[in-house]
Amino acid sequence: MTDADPEILDELLQHALEIQHRGLGDTPPEECLATDDLVDVLRHRDLFQALYGRPLDRRDIEDRLGVSRATSHRFTRWLEERGYADRTDSVYSLTGEGEIAAEAVVQFERKIRTADRLSPLLDVICEDHRDFVVEPFENATVTVATPADPYAPVTRFLTLLQGCDRFRGFNTTHMVPPGFADRYGTLFADCEVELVSPPDVVETLRTTDDGFGRALDGDHLQLRTRDALPYGLALFDDSVGIGGYDEETGAMRVFVDTDTAIARAWAERVYETFRENSTPLTADD
């Protein structure tokens, strides 16, 4: 997959998401699997994981799952009856259907776990973008504002920004503390920076932040404008992050960051897409 066309991958992903969303409400009740059947498959998650990619005999299944001979017999009989496994010389291998079921079970558990961890972010970003952030940020650090520490997400952002040689992002203004003295001139003095921000935010900065104008006059800050931005995206030297904001106050409620390769690749693609559809700003504008 490393040589696949990114545009084709994006199209396939969008198509897959459309299918998922269409399936949420359009499947006739008579075609839906019974709840007991779904629960039965999930109940055998450990069995699917044990057999995925590795044929096992019944003794191996007993050892891996720590179950009795009677239980392993019941497990293997269930697999064969459902068509999820074939037996050859007392060795059980998942069928094609069994492998798909195994993948679905693992992905279901992973997505539920990730959704729970990312719930503070998913609650504050546009629903059209929720599916796109789950996989890249599966094991991300989640920092949430609390009454005891309302600036915890800001602190996390500033920690990652410290010592950064290159910073890019869109809709990142609220990641900087309100009233932060000379914030653009100070934060980005030794950093190559490119930002995409809404025009009204830029106008506010022009009138309220002297450091903004001086930074724009220099050569370390490149600014672009775009009207609609779904959340805050930050690309640091070694990690990427997403900020979710309060709709009424604009304060950052949550900051989620990770240094995984999949998240970096995703963030680069997303940033370039928004950058290409933005307008460059100069000090004379």
Side-chain angles (χ1 to χ4, degrees):
M1 295 295 289
T2 55
D3 296 327
D5 188 325
E7 293 185 4
I8 293 177
L9 291 178
D10 288 347
E11 183 176 345
L12 290 173
L13 176 58
Q14 183 61 46
H15 180 61
L17 290 174
E18 289 174 357
I19 291 175
Q20 290 177 21
H21 290 163
R22 185 169 64 245
L24 289 178
D26 295 344
T27 303
E30 63 272 14
E31 295 183 12
C32 292
L33 290 176
T35 300
D36 288 345
D37 291 337
L38 289 174
V39 172
D40 202 22
V41 172
L42 291 173
R43 187 180 291 116
H44 290 87
R45 178 190 62 179
D46 292 343
L47 179 61
F48 279 118
Q49 289 179 322
L51 283 168
Y52 190 78
R54 60 173 79 86
L56 301 174
D57 62 23
R58 191 173 291 132
R59 178 64 64 83
D60 290 331
I61 292 174
E62 294 169 11
D63 292 341
R64 286 181 177 273
L65 300 184
V67 297
S68 66
R69 182 177 180 181
T71 299
S72 71
H73 180 72
R74 177 166 52 84
F75 280 174
T76 54
R77 184 176 58 194
W78 178 83
L79 287 169
E80 290 187 280
E81 290 175 350
R82 295 295 293 265
Y84 290 144
D86 289 328
R87 179 176 58 177
T88 303
D89 296 330
S90 299
V91 175
Y92 294 85
S93 303
L94 291 179
T95 61
E97 181 183 3
E99 289 191 354
I100 295 299
E103 292 169 358
V105 169
V106 173
Q107 290 172 3
F108 174 80
E109 190 273 338
R110 180 186 299 144
K111 200 156 190 175
I112 293 297
R113 184 181 68 245
T114 303
D116 182 63
R117 293 188 67 252
L118 296 182
S119 60
L121 176 66
L122 301 178
D123 288 340
V124 295
I125 66 174
C126 172
E127 64 182 57
D128 293 334
H129 294 266
R130 289 172 186 163
D131 280 316
F132 293 100
V133 305
V134 172
E135 295 296 337
F137 290 87
E138 177 183 342
N139 296 310
T141 298
V142 180
T143 307
V144 181
T146 65
D149 191 358
Y151 291 116
V154 171
T155 301
R156 178 63 180 175
F157 167 77
L158 293 176
T159 299
L160 294 173
L161 182 62
Q162 187 175 10
C164 192
D165 293 324
R166 187 188 186 200
F167 176 78
R168 290 165 295 157
F170 60 66
N171 206 19
T172 58
T173 304
H174 302 303
M175 295 180 184
V176 181
F180 196 90
D182 200 17
R183 55 186 179 269
Y184 281 90
T186 301
L187 288 177
F188 303 132
D190 300 317
C191 185
E192 179 185 346
V193 180
E194 183 177 70
L195 303 176
V196 181
S197 298
D200 58 337
V201 171
V202 173
E203 185 58 32
T204 298
L205 288 172
R206 283 184 182 276
T207 59
T208 61
D209 189 345
D210 293 336
F212 172 76
R214 291 194 298 274
L216 193 59
D217 287 336
D219 58 3
H220 66 277
L221 174 61
Q222 303 295 320
L223 192 66
R224 307 178 71 91
T225 60
R226 176 186 165 92
D227 288 325
L229 294 165
Y231 42 77
L233 177 67
L235 289 85
F236 307 94
D237 290 342
D238 303 315
S239 60
V240 297
I242 292 180
Y245 308 124
D246 186 286
E247 288 187 2
E248 296 183 1
T249 67
M252 186 158 60
R253 290 175 51 184
V254 56
F255 188 73
V256 177
D257 66 271
T258 181
D259 60 359
T260 62
I262 186 175
R264 166 64 67 172
W266 171 86
E268 294 279 358
R269 287 283 298 167
V270 171
Y271 178 75
E272 285 304 318
T273 298
F274 280 90
R275 182 188 183 282
E276 290 171 2
N277 292 279
S278 64
T279 304
L281 183 74
T282 67
D284 296 329
D285 289 337

